[in-house]
Amino acid sequence: MVKLRKSPELLVACLAALLAGCDTGAEPDTQAASTEATDTTLTGTLDRSLAGDEVPVVTVRQPDGTELALAETDGQPFLLNLWATWCAPCVIEMPLLDDMADELGDTVRVITVSEDLRGAEAVKPFFADHDFAALEPWMDPDNALAFAYGGGAVLPLTILYDAEGKEVWRVIGAYDWSTAEAREAVLEAASTK
């Protein structure tokens, strides 16, 4: 039997590890590490193991109160991205997603949903600081989507849904949405219309 000694250092280390992934509500610059992209930042890969799962019955909102029920997307394929202002890989991904959304137009809708607990207080300044051409400031401050995807959703999390609301694939972690391969993969949902 192994006996563990009580150690203040061990307790502090455990608490720090538990809190490391939490949205504490602090200003983004105090939570996030550097947002400079590196080759190792965009390491997400496509996962098709949950293909066919239905989109969760969750409603997201914009700061102005506009609502969007994800399960009622009018037969349009969409790419759903869960992100947060304090998540450095998420912030790196946002301009790439915006460029792709602008290029895709109505073919496949790109819906980015902030999981910031501070909701509009965090999202409005973030969108004001960036000049996104196509992304809209959707929010999920109650983390209903994170819970729907297993409670411990790692951010960023991006899921492609076809026109019937069925999952095609997902990416856990940041992904390089600027590549031709990414565009082809996203257009898979449009080909099943």
Side-chain angles (χ1 to χ4, degrees), residues 11 17-18 27 63-64 123 144:
L11 178 61
L18 287 172
E27 290 301 315
D64 68 4
V123 174

Side-chain angles (χ1 to χ4, degrees), residues 10 21 27 37 53 74 86 92 95 111 119 140 145 152 175 187:
L10 181 60
E27 290 301 315
D53 282 2
D74 298 326
W86 48 264
I92 292 167
I111 303 171
D140 176 32
L145 281 171
Y175 192 72
L187 288 172

Side-chain angles (χ1 to χ4, degrees), residues 141-159:
D142 297 327
N143 291 150
L145 281 171
F147 287 114
Y149 292 121
V154 174
L155 299 180
L157 172 63
T158 308
I159 303 169

Side-chain angles (χ1 to χ4, degrees), residues 46 48 160 168-169 183-193:
L46 295 183
R48 297 176 186 274
L160 180 66
V168 178
W169 49 253
R183 298 290 196 286
E184 286 176 30
V186 171
L187 288 172
E188 279 183 54
S191 66
T192 61
K193 260 182 155 177

Side-chain angles (χ1 to χ4, degrees), residues 58-61 113-116 138-146:
V58 172
T59 298
V60 295
R61 290 169 185 76
V113 180
S114 167
E115 293 295 308
D116 283 278
W138 295 106
M139 303 174 304
D140 176 32
D142 297 327
N143 291 150
L145 281 171

Side-chain angles (χ1 to χ4, degrees), residues 1 10 19 23 33 66 68 85 89 91 100 118 124-126 129 149 155 163 175 186 189 191 193:
M1 181 170 159
L10 181 60
L19 294 174
D23 180 1
T66 302
L68 173 65
T85 58
V91 172
M100 184 174 62
R118 295 182 304 134
K124 283 177 74 173
F126 181 85
D129 289 344
Y149 292 121
L155 299 180
Y175 192 72
V186 171
S191 66
K193 260 182 155 177

